[in-house]
Amino acid sequence: MHLRIVLLMAVAVVLSACDALPRGAGLQREVLAAQTEENGVANFAVEPVTRENLPLFDSWPVTDGRNLSWIERVDQPNNRIIAPGDTLAVTIWSTEDNGLLTAPGQRFVTLPEMRVSSSGRIFLPYIGSVRVEGMAPETARSRIEEQYLVVTPSAQVQLEMQEGNQNTVNLVSGVRSPGTYPLPDRDFTIMGLLSLGGGVPDNLRNPQIRLQRGGQLYGTSVDRLLESPGLDTTLRGGDKVFVEQGEDYFLSLGAARTESIHYFPQEDVTAIQALSIIGGVDSNRADAQGILILRKYPASAVRADRTGPQHERTIFTIDLTSADGLFSAGEFHLQSGDLVYVTESPLTTANAIIGVAGAALGLGRTVDALAN
């Protein structure tokens, strides 16, 4: 009898200390318990992910560094334009037997190649300095021919152009064939350049495009370019383009199937997609009403009027047991650095206590049997 009393007292101690049982994750009420300090200052803000709140969240600042601007496409004439640094080869044909440029019996003369000066001009014998910058090669040819007809009435001019640095773009990295490529015309775009470079390798995770122009860096993703043709930027001479692997990530902890770091497989990842990436939640442990997404905002983003988060530390709560929670989770976009925390179900603790109590009572019956 004495041993049975001791065992029952032990069970009572276990029941009174139910929160002290070892668990792999916290309960939702535990995680959110310290929201307000004793002096009334909030430790963090709690925001439920619902249909009503989604437009509000979408208007808040992006914290993951994907705030580079991008240049939209501007349609340009589909022709080549001469720029300083280009090289021109001029050939002059003439039927005159004793012309200014040709020797007797000679029907044409090819002038030495000329580089367009920084002022946009070239020097031609018997004509002098001629401005060709900003002209299409055919326009420049016609203009030169008009001036030569004054001194050589039968002159016909042939012009060939080789692009210089100001009419080329550099495809630096992230493609199969990086290098320097001439602009075939003024309407040459990013996607055309990537195609010339052999395309982006399939094994590049969430490829990001960076465009360096005039000391300014612009950025977007290949996914966005493919989805929005208006973002297929028209290139300029001197542009530098490179493709890099995306580094956006989120973490998963708690009663999730996997506790790890997960890189974004594409530009945008929703909460539902994130749960799929981590393999879902542990059905034996997880609280489907307690999916938490922890995010840290910069202090400059905090707003009291709800045009921004109310606190630097914000916890978004998702309830997977309601239709609104499920739909809203499919429209809530993660940001790089977010933590997806799956809380533990209160039933897990209860089941553990029941198991301990059952084992203790079974042991008590065994003790009674031995005592009798």
Side-chain angles (χ1 to χ4, degrees), residues 159-220:
L159 182 145
E160 296 181 359
M161 168 186 167
Q162 181 178 350
E163 285 81 358
N165 290 336
Q166 293 195 35
N167 258 333
T168 60
V169 291
N170 292 315
L171 186 53
V172 180
S173 63
V175 294
R176 292 180 174 85
S177 301
T180 301
Y181 291 87
L183 294 173
D185 53 60
R186 296 176 65 188
D187 202 36
F188 192 53
T189 65
I190 285 274
M191 295 302 287
L193 178 64
L194 295 180
S195 177
L196 284 181
V200 179
D202 295 335
N203 61 354
L204 198 64
R205 180 188 64 237
N206 187 20
Q208 303 290 308
I209 295 179
R210 299 293 180 257
L211 168 63
Q212 186 176 334
R213 173 180 294 176
Q216 181 71 36
L217 183 65
Y218 303 91
T220 188

Side-chain angles (χ1 to χ4, degrees), residues 138-175:
E138 177 56 29
T139 302
R141 186 208 66 78
S142 178
R143 185 71 54 85
I144 293 170
E145 184 174 276
E146 288 176 3
Q147 297 190 45
Y148 265 118
L149 286 173
V150 177
V151 295
T152 305
S154 64
Q156 292 183 324
V157 172
Q158 177 182 345
L159 182 145
E160 296 181 359
M161 168 186 167
Q162 181 178 350
E163 285 81 358
N165 290 336
Q166 293 195 35
N167 258 333
T168 60
V169 291
N170 292 315
L171 186 53
V172 180
S173 63
V175 294

Side-chain angles (χ1 to χ4, degrees), residues 33 159 223-224 252 309 324 340:
L159 182 145
D223 283 349
R224 288 188 65 202
S252 62
D324 180 57
V340 179

Side-chain angles (χ1 to χ4, degrees), residues 63-98:
T63 65
D64 54 14
R66 292 182 294 170
N67 53 0
L68 290 175
S69 59
W70 187 248
I71 305 171
E72 295 189 355
R73 174 180 172 79
V74 178
D75 290 332
Q76 298 286 352
N78 189 16
N79 60 345
R80 301 163 73 193
I81 295 297
I82 298 174
D86 290 347
T87 300
L88 302 182
V90 176
T91 300
I92 302 171
W93 296 75
S94 176
T95 59
E96 297 182 30
D97 291 332
N98 189 19

